[in-house]
Amino acid sequence: MALWRQQVCAMMRVRFLKLKHEGKFLRSILLLFGIFVLPMLMISILFKLWDIYSSWEITASSYFLPTVEKIQTKSTNLLIFNDTGSEIEDFITALKTQNIMPEMTLEENITSIPLHNGAIKISLENGSYQFTVMCSAEPINCFPMLMNILSNTFLRLLNSTARIRIWSEPFYNIQTPEVKTNIFSFCLGYMLLLAAGLPPHFAVSSMEDYKLQARAQLRLAGLFPSAYWCGQALVDVPLFWTL
């Protein structure tokens, strides 16, 4: 066993040195590896870019004036109509903590007031507060934005520091389970092709030893056949699985 282990280690060293000095073998392996991996890398980059640019966060600053300065020329004040008959200072304060400047109005017909992207009407019926959100015809995603503002306002009124965020995905979502399953199947088949293409490259070296009768000479010198194959496998198998 000591001799066998010594022969295995010797074959490992010979195999490693042979791979190190055989530039043609390494170039062919790297070329095959690059041919198969480059498309996979491009698909991964495409998915990442699509995920970044296909959706964007909807923020209140795009629709309504912040407390300090105007972010966009098309943003307006958030119109608030108090129909409760009492003060709603807590509600207004909760709005201001979201960097929103509300504008109070006494006009009952809010829809007749121009130049506002959206409005919230607060009324009191049977001891319960009723909230009505209204949007202008031009702003996109105004209704979900107003619902998000109301939700975060309720969180502030409950002394919560949490914040609800919303995103818009106007394009086709490629992150659905069906698409992911199809892409995974494609990638798996693609990698199986790569795995099937690598072993012949490793077998070329053994065929050259056979043609040169190097293996026969080693056997005449006392090399165990199992030591020959195990020594090469201990180099080729880790390299194969690393690739």
Side-chain angles (χ1 to χ4, degrees):
M1 290 302 297
L3 178 60
W4 185 84
R5 288 195 298 268
Q6 184 181 10
Q7 291 181 355
V8 170
C9 293
M11 289 305 304
M12 286 178 58
R13 180 175 175 81
V14 170
R15 178 62 174 165
F16 178 77
L17 292 175
K18 192 173 183 180
L19 289 177
K20 184 178 179 180
H21 291 288
E22 282 187 353
K24 182 179 178 181
F25 173 77
L26 289 178
R27 285 194 298 269
S28 63
I29 288 292
L30 293 177
L31 178 61
L32 180 66
F33 183 73
I35 290 174
F36 277 86
V37 171
L38 185 60
M40 306 295 295
L41 183 62
M42 293 179 63
I43 291 176
S44 300
I45 295 176
L46 179 63
F47 265 80
K48 187 63 177 179
L49 293 176
W50 183 273
D51 186 53
I52 293 175
Y53 293 106
S54 65
S55 62
W56 54 80
E57 185 177 1
I58 304 175
T59 59
S61 60
S62 302
Y63 298 84
F64 308 107
L65 281 173
T67 56
V68 181
E69 60 183 359
K70 196 171 186 178
I71 298 297
Q72 295 185 5
T73 57
K74 293 185 178 180
S75 61
T76 65
N77 288 333
L78 176 60
L79 199 61
I80 303 294
F81 174 60
N82 181 13
D83 194 26
T84 62
S86 59
E87 297 293 334
I88 53 171
E89 291 299 327
D90 293 341
F91 185 84
I92 299 300
T93 303
L95 283 176
K96 292 181 178 180
T97 59
Q98 303 177 59
N99 203 27
I100 298 173
M101 179 60 73
E103 178 182 337
M104 302 297 296
T105 180
L106 300 177
E107 177 67 36
E108 294 188 4
N109 187 11
I110 301 180
T111 57
S112 64
I113 300 179
L115 303 178
H116 286 83
N117 289 333
I120 298 178
K121 180 180 179 181
I122 308 173
S123 57
L124 188 62
E125 297 180 8
N126 299 324
S128 299
Y129 286 98
Q130 303 290 330
F131 297 88
T132 305
V133 294
M134 290 167 281
C135 287
S136 177
E138 294 183 0
I140 302 175
N141 297 321
C142 179
F143 282 109
M145 184 69 256
L146 286 178
M147 294 302 298
N148 180 251
I149 291 175
L150 275 179
S151 301
N152 287 318
T153 302
F154 296 152
L155 288 176
R156 298 298 179 274
L157 292 174
L158 295 173
N159 296 323
S160 174
T161 58
R163 182 169 70 94
I164 300 174
R165 302 168 64 186
I166 56 175
W167 281 264
S168 174
E169 293 186 354
F171 304 106
Y172 177 69
N173 186 10
I174 60 176
Q175 299 293 339
T176 58
E178 295 79 7
V179 175
K180 287 184 177 180
T181 301
N182 294 333
I183 293 177
F184 174 77
S185 301
F186 170 77
C187 294
L188 180 61
Y190 206 75
M191 297 308 294
L192 288 176
L193 288 177
L194 172 62
L198 288 176
H201 288 76
F202 290 97
V204 170
S205 179
S206 298
M207 292 300 299
E208 291 179 355
D209 289 348
Y210 177 77
K211 292 179 180 179
L212 297 174
Q213 296 184 350
R215 190 172 60 187
Q217 295 178 21
L218 291 172
R219 290 186 62 182
L220 292 175
L223 178 69
F224 292 107
S226 59
Y228 174 83
W229 293 112
C230 288
Q232 294 201 76
L234 289 176
V235 176
D236 292 345
V237 172
L239 179 60
F240 173 81
W241 285 112
T242 300
L243 293 175

